[in-house]
Amino acid sequence: MTHQSGRHFLQIPGPTNVPDRVLRAIDNATVDHRGPEFQRMSREVLAGLKEVFRTRSPVVVFPASGTGAWEAALVNTLSPGDRVLMVETGHFATLWQNMAQKLGLAPEFIKGDWRHGADPAAIEARLAEDAKREIKAVCVVHNETSTGVTSRIAEVRKAIDRAGHPALFMVDTISSLASIDYRHDEWGVDVTVAGSQKGLMLPPGLSFNAVSGKALAAAKGAKLPRSYWNWEEMIAANRDGWFPYTPATNLLYGLRVALRMLLEEEGLENVFRRHDRHAEAARRAVRAWGLEIFCASPAEYSGSLTAVLMPGGAGEIEFRRVVLEHFNLSLGSGLSRLRDKVFRIGHLGDFNDLMLCGTLCGIEMGLALAGVPHRKGGVAAAMDYLAGGAAAGEKARAAA
Ligand SMILES: *Cc1c(COP(=O)(O)O)cnc(C)c1O
């Protein structure tokens, strides 16, 4: 490997770039997690998390990757053999479904083509058929990170309500929380699953469950075995700022800084607008290159990443190899059935216009170097949009 000068461009859709301030916060001496300094910090962090999830309910923090929070959501609320309705939006939805099977649940998988989000009408129809109320939970991935397709969570909630069905509603927001508008309480979600290494701008290692009162009530009768993932002990200890086992103290230092950046300095609404704007610029680049955006439904475009179909349906692995070797830029790969077929541009987390332009430059040069059929002008199209948007912003500020 030759020496690479300058910064690595980490533009996979998670883990994302960690701000220097967050890294510096993590790089502090570890304190006693049963002492007063820790207690002050964990109270601030647990309160800030509720704002990010837009909930008044408890948010539980596990020292684990996102996969742990998937498991926690299922084992705290369900019993062996319970039916759960899941939706095949892509690779991550499939993994969650596989996990449900391994845990001894009976998942039903609504088939999908991976290019569309969960269909609220299909969920409503299946729930309406379930006269005996055997389905105990509906599980949807908000932002399918393998495809760049979002699901309309508020509409899924309405579909469940139209069917008058009592199932719990669980949503994976691992790659949407703090990037794409999300509201745990308003959308009537019972368990929201999230992780640290995407929109929250931290390294991997923390995962979260926001837990509604209905989910807590379900936990009382749920019979799947659980110990490490048990909400009850966690929530009881959290009330005073403690944890039932050693928390990931230094990641929590980082989370405190990330929450201040998101909530106090930038503001969540601005965070969402920034992501939408970068996503739109990325899509304009893709169209100008003459390439195809993998998401087939514009209402479901992702604000956190854009998946791009390789012309001719192959060559993603070699293309990404060329881009990494020449430009020290990591792009997301095609996962499972999309292997070698799509590459993914992560534009979430701590990110700005020039980072996006640099990323798109690396892609445009890489397409040429790897001999991928395309047109020039993607970067220019993105720049036009970004500069136009910036000019409009200046005008609005001047007028205010
Ligand atoms: C990243 C991701 C996961 C998996 O999280 P890990 O931290 O790798 O365990 C699950 N679901 C979605 C939507 C993701 O983006």
Side-chain angles (χ1 to χ4, degrees):
M1 182 98 186
T2 50
H3 172 72
Q4 301 266 28
S5 60
R7 275 216 168 202
H8 175 62
F9 271 66
L10 181 67
Q11 294 319 137
I12 59 175
T16 64
N17 295 286
V18 179
D20 291 345
R21 285 165 63 192
V22 171
L23 288 174
R24 282 197 293 271
I26 293 169
D27 183 23
N28 263 302
T30 302
V31 294
D32 172 11
H33 63 283
R34 305 194 195 283
E37 188 184 337
F38 179 85
Q39 186 183 33
R40 267 194 302 281
M41 173 184 68
S42 72
R43 283 180 157 155
E44 179 183 337
V45 164
L46 292 168
L49 280 172
K50 291 185 184 191
E51 286 185 57
V52 177
F53 285 83
R54 299 214 155 139
T55 184
R56 290 158 173 269
S57 294
V59 178
V60 170
V61 186
F62 296 108
S65 88
T67 300
W70 267 349
E71 180 160 342
L74 300 176
V75 298
N76 275 285
T77 53
L78 299 167
S79 299
D82 276 355
R83 261 176 206 287
V84 286
L85 188 61
M86 303 177 110
V87 186
E88 186 197 5
T89 48
H91 173 72
F92 289 100
T94 304
L95 289 180
W96 200 9
Q97 190 261 0
N98 292 346
M99 173 188 274
Q101 242 156 22
K102 288 182 215 161
L103 291 171
L105 297 165
E108 268 186 51
F109 214 24
I110 298 180
K111 291 280 164 233
D113 67 359
W114 291 35
R115 301 191 73 169
H116 296 83
D119 177 7
I123 293 171
E124 182 179 347
R126 180 63 192 97
L127 292 177
E129 271 171 21
D130 180 34
K132 290 196 198 142
R133 303 306 192 219
E134 285 171 339
I135 295 171
K136 299 301 177 205
V138 175
C139 300
V140 177
V141 174
H142 182 208
N143 184 68
E144 198 18 281
T145 321
S146 60
T147 62
V149 180
T150 54
S151 285
R152 292 158 292 154
I153 298 304
E155 291 181 37
V156 174
R157 173 74 258 170
K158 285 187 195 139
I160 298 170
D161 291 344
R162 274 195 303 272
H165 200 288
L168 295 166
F169 187 23
M170 305 197 195
V171 180
D172 169 346
T173 65
I174 295 178
S175 63
S176 58
L177 190 82
S179 305
I180 301 172
D181 189 16
Y182 182 79
R183 305 154 190 234
H184 176 90
D185 284 2
E186 191 183 320
W187 295 349
V189 179
D190 294 300
V191 188
T192 298
V193 173
S196 57
Q197 75 271 29
K198 301 186 187 179
L200 289 175
M201 311 183 293
L202 294 165
L206 294 177
S207 64
F208 311 93
N209 280 167
V211 180
S212 75
K214 183 172 159 186
L216 279 176
K220 297 231 181 291
K223 302 236 161 32
L224 277 177
R226 57 188 180 271
S227 166
Y228 187 81
W229 305 118
N230 197 328
W231 289 338
E232 211 176 345
E233 291 153 33
M234 188 67 95
I235 290 170
N238 282 176
R239 271 189 204 108
D240 296 316
W242 308 122
F243 284 76
Y245 44 76
T246 315
T249 313
N250 289 52
L251 286 174
L252 294 172
Y253 291 156
L255 179 56
R256 170 164 59 177
V257 173
L259 289 170
R260 287 176 185 165
M261 290 170 76
L262 291 166
L263 296 169
E264 293 165 27
E265 296 174 22
E266 187 169 7
L268 276 185
E269 292 303 331
N270 295 325
V271 171
F272 301 147
R273 263 198 291 278
R274 169 165 59 82
H275 281 80
D276 281 345
R277 187 167 160 274
H278 287 148
E280 175 62 28
R283 290 190 296 266
R284 286 179 187 228
V286 174
R287 291 194 197 101
W289 289 322
L291 302 183
E292 194 179 336
I293 296 163
F294 188 69
C295 176
S297 141
E300 295 173 328
Y301 282 150
S302 168
S304 353
L305 77 138
T306 301
V308 183
L309 205 53
M310 291 302 289
E316 161 265 314
I317 294 170
E318 173 61 10
F319 165 66
R320 282 190 314 103
R321 190 192 65 75
V322 166
V323 167
L324 178 62
E325 182 181 308
H326 286 263
F327 307 114
N328 197 14
L329 161 63
S330 290
L331 296 168
S333 58
L335 295 172
S336 55
R337 75 154 78 149
L338 298 179
R339 183 180 149 83
D340 207 36
K341 293 187 167 65
V342 308
F343 68 92
R344 296 171 299 144
I345 311 167
H347 35 68
L348 74 165
D350 187 40
F351 198 55
N352 65 27
D353 289 12
L354 292 188
M355 292 164 87
L356 176 63
C357 287
T359 302
L360 297 174
C361 281
I363 295 171
E364 191 162 324
M365 292 188 287
L367 290 168
L369 279 169
V372 178
H374 71 291
R375 293 193 300 263
K376 300 277 169 218
V379 175
M383 284 166 59
D384 276 351
Y385 175 74
L386 293 171
E394 291 301 330
K395 266 187 222 145
R397 262 193 294 282

